[in-house]
Amino acid sequence: MTDIMQSITERDPVEKEFHQAVDEVINSVKPVLDRHPEYRQAAVLARITEPERVILFRVPWMDDEEQVHVNRGFRVEMNSAIGPYKGGLRFHPSVNLGIMKFLAFEQVFKNALTTLAMGGGKGGSDFNPKGKSDSEMMRFCQSFMAELYRHIGPNTDVPAGDIGVGAREIGFLFGMYKKLKNEFTGVLTGKSLNWGGSLIRPEATGYGSVYFAVEMLAVKRQTLKGKTCLVSGSGNVAQYTTEKIIELGGKVLTLSDSSGYIYDEEGIDSEKLASIQKLKNIQRGRISEYADEYPNAVYTEAEPSPDYNPLWNHKADCAFPSATENEINKKDAQNLVKNGVKLVSEGANMPSTAEAVDIFLDKKLLYAPGKAANAGGVAVSGLEMAQNSMRLNWPMEEVDNRLKIIMRSIHKTCLDAAEEYGQPGNYVIGANIAGFVKVVNAMLDQGLV
Ligand code: NDP
């Protein structure tokens, strides 16, 4: 173990996901440090792994029965070397400081890869949105923003959505921010279209992950047409990943939520996807209901503590994990390889464990880590910020074209950096090195702050 890893694990021993994210980056950038002794002199690893600021706060709220509850709110402002902190808000019971730090750390590199001027941050709460009424959601969001508003701003820190935070929550959060600050600015992204949102923002993470897959396949002179795909999750990222795969002629066989997954041998077509979107976004139902509507599909309930996830144990060409972190373990990675999967594009953040990543690299899969493959979401958030500053709305084709160009550029940047450091085709090393060098050079330019 490196000295820096040892000191991080000793100081914050319970932050397992953060250790995992940092360890991967440190292993990737070792040759960069060997080539640049000035980076070691400037202790860049110790600096880049320590958040610039962590905000932790109480979020009291009242349910519909007038019972008071208290949740914990977080904002980790990780790095502002290349722009204002930028990164989503996650509302999920699993949220803790370690998860927030891992997500904020990943965000720093991801945002650097987009070529836009955005630093990295992440926030959220251990609040569980499942089963809450609209008014409970509103009261929670208002209470959350009643503290967070002091720390954010269009030139300081610009949050967005993530797990459990979609258009409805962004609306409630923005409304409270506007009331408290008495200003209408682009302080949040993922806003609705009629009050400052950008076309293609809801679609951007899923579309971007598929665009990245298209770029990887093009290197092998292949396309998505006719390819079978396993997709996990059924939220924002999974839905738009599915939409784009269908549009490009691929066939999506699976979708999931935390209760289980559906396998539809005939493929999820546009009509079936529309019904899932209604089920998930409006009725806020469970994916199991898909099998009631389409009896040819098979629903499998999730095990309480599974050794492996059966969703990843089907014959397919490609996998698009789009639910949550560490949803593909070593056994799942072995199953994917055994079942003929040749491409993995991560819509979720860090969905593969370190052991799973090793298997993908060892077996020479086309493997795109989340910080590259899912950067389309934050990239279009950056475009939303640009449109807000200019008080303009770009048409759909323009935003989509910019997204495609950005994903193509991230793909090339990763390949070039990997090639430069003698690891051709390794998107993990490429993404980590390219993001790291950009941020570290900016930090050094700005002195010891
Ligand atoms: P949503 O809340 O819209 O959907 C999340 C989906 O994943 C749901 O189907 C949810 O099921 C499932 N899920 C969540 N936690 C778990 C779990 N512990 N086990 C099994 N399934 C789970 O979130 P998003 O689609 O926005 O986010 C999905 C992933 O993509 C996350 O890793 C996020 O960080 C990442 N991401 C999102 C971006 C965005 O723009 N939204 C940008 C970049 C990355 P259930 O409803 O049962 O909880």
Side-chain angles (χ1 to χ4, degrees):
M1 193 189 279
T2 56
D3 290 353
I4 180 80
M5 223 32 242
Q6 189 167 351
S7 88
I8 287 172
T9 47
E10 277 173 11
R11 191 165 50 181
D12 298 308
V14 295
E15 296 178 352
K16 299 273 180 291
E17 291 83 4
F18 182 58
H19 304 161
Q20 183 182 338
V22 171
D23 198 41
E24 182 196 284
V25 169
I26 289 181
N27 287 332
S28 294
V29 302
K30 195 171 169 300
V32 183
L33 297 175
D34 292 342
R35 206 183 274 186
H36 292 274
E38 72 276 17
Y39 288 173
R40 281 212 169 87
Q41 173 80 23
V44 291
L45 284 183
R47 287 160 67 185
I48 209 167
T49 52
E50 186 67 17
E52 288 179 15
R53 190 175 301 106
V54 173
I55 301 140
L56 202 153
F57 52 101
R58 180 175 69 189
V59 190
W61 59 280
M62 193 181 274
D63 69 20
D64 289 341
E65 274 72 53
E66 298 193 0
Q67 174 65 50
V68 171
H69 302 265
V70 177
N71 283 92
R72 187 168 271 187
F74 301 87
R75 186 71 184 166
V76 175
E77 297 183 334
M78 198 77 193
N79 194 299
S80 61
I82 61 169
Y85 309 106
K86 180 92 197 83
L89 297 172
R90 175 178 291 192
F91 292 167
H92 193 272
S94 64
V95 163
N96 58 38
L97 187 55
I99 301 254
M100 293 286 96
K101 280 173 66 180
F102 122 64
L103 289 164
F105 184 72
E106 290 281 290
Q107 196 81 46
V108 172
F109 302 91
K110 181 189 309 190
N111 293 3
L113 289 171
T114 66
T115 70
L116 304 175
M118 298 180 290
K122 198 83 186 187
S125 173
D126 57 1
F127 171 80
N128 187 357
K130 256 186 225 124
K132 302 294 186 297
S133 67
D134 284 350
S135 30
E136 286 172 332
M137 281 311 301
M138 182 179 75
R139 286 195 295 275
F140 179 80
C141 289
Q142 290 178 338
S143 178
F144 185 86
M145 187 52 86
E147 174 58 38
L148 187 69
Y149 86 98
R150 296 168 221 287
H151 310 287
I152 62 176
N155 296 312
T156 312
D157 185 351
V158 185
D162 190 75
I163 291 178
V165 179
R168 175 183 59 171
E169 291 72 29
I170 292 291
F172 294 149
L173 291 162
F174 184 84
M176 194 61 178
Y177 179 88
K178 183 165 63 73
K179 183 180 173 79
L180 292 168
K181 295 284 269 203
N182 194 26
E183 63 180 36
F184 194 115
T185 50
V187 66
L188 291 163
T189 57
K191 299 185 290 298
S192 285
L193 273 181
N194 53 345
W195 48 273
S198 172
L199 284 159
I200 301 289
R201 176 60 191 92
E203 293 88 347
T205 308
Y207 279 18
S209 161
V210 179
Y211 292 152
F212 201 95
V214 167
E215 292 298 319
M216 292 198 290
L217 287 167
V219 174
K220 305 276 178 200
R221 300 191 196 294
Q222 293 181 31
T223 68
L224 260 180
K225 201 166 170 47
K227 294 220 167 23
T228 47
C229 304
L230 306 174
V231 179
S232 64
S234 51
N236 170 275
V237 179
Q239 290 173 19
Y240 289 109
T241 296
T242 302
E243 183 170 289
K244 189 50 81 177
I245 293 172
I246 297 170
E247 190 189 315
L248 297 181
K251 184 171 169 183
V252 174
L253 300 172
T254 59
L255 282 171
S256 69
D257 59 26
S258 54
S259 311
Y261 81 98
I262 51 110
Y263 177 80
D264 187 339
E265 198 177 11
E266 293 165 1
I268 297 164
D269 59 19
S270 303
E271 192 192 309
K272 292 172 178 174
L273 176 62
S275 130
I276 290 171
Q277 289 179 313
K278 189 167 154 218
L279 172 72
K280 282 288 167 184
N281 307 348
I282 299 166
Q283 298 160 351
R284 303 198 185 266
R286 307 307 293 159
I287 199 71
S288 57
E289 294 166 51
Y290 178 92
D292 302 335
E293 196 175 347
Y294 302 103
N296 286 338
V298 179
Y299 173 68
T300 307
E301 205 157 298
E303 296 280 333
S305 30
D307 295 336
Y308 71 98
N309 182 347
L311 185 158
W312 305 122
N313 198 14
H314 291 279
K315 290 233 164 308
D317 302 306
C318 308
F320 292 84
S322 308
T324 194
E325 58 271 6
N326 291 330
E327 55 171 311
I328 298 181
N329 65 18
K330 183 179 174 186
K331 177 82 180 143
D332 297 319
Q334 286 165 339
N335 284 338
L336 285 168
V337 170
K338 183 189 79 190
N339 281 301
V341 167
K342 298 278 187 313
L343 176 148
V344 179
S345 183
E346 295 186 339
N349 282 309
M350 207 169 73
S352 310
T353 63
E355 286 171 316
V357 174
D358 287 344
I359 290 170
F360 296 149
L361 295 178
D362 185 49
K363 299 292 180 193
K364 302 256 177 299
L365 264 64
L366 292 171
Y367 167 63
K371 61 171 74 79
N374 72 36
V378 74
V380 174
S381 274
L383 302 181
E384 183 174 331
M385 289 161 73
Q387 293 169 77
N388 291 164
S389 301
M390 294 184 290
R391 306 222 187 278
L392 278 177
N393 284 350
W394 292 332
M396 186 175 290
E397 297 69 39
E398 175 158 5
V399 183
D400 197 26
N401 274 335
R402 284 177 188 260
L403 171 62
K404 276 186 200 144
I405 291 167
I406 290 171
M407 296 315 294
R408 195 171 302 143
S409 140
I410 296 173
H411 177 265
K412 184 173 182 318
T413 302
C414 294
L415 279 189
D416 289 351
E419 181 89 32
E420 186 186 342
Y421 281 88
Q423 298 278 344
N426 186 327
Y427 292 93
V428 177
I429 298 235
N432 286 331
I433 289 183
F436 179 81
V437 168
K438 177 164 183 186
V439 174
V440 160
N441 284 342
M443 287 168 74
L444 295 188
D445 287 346
Q446 293 166 24
L448 191 51
V449 289

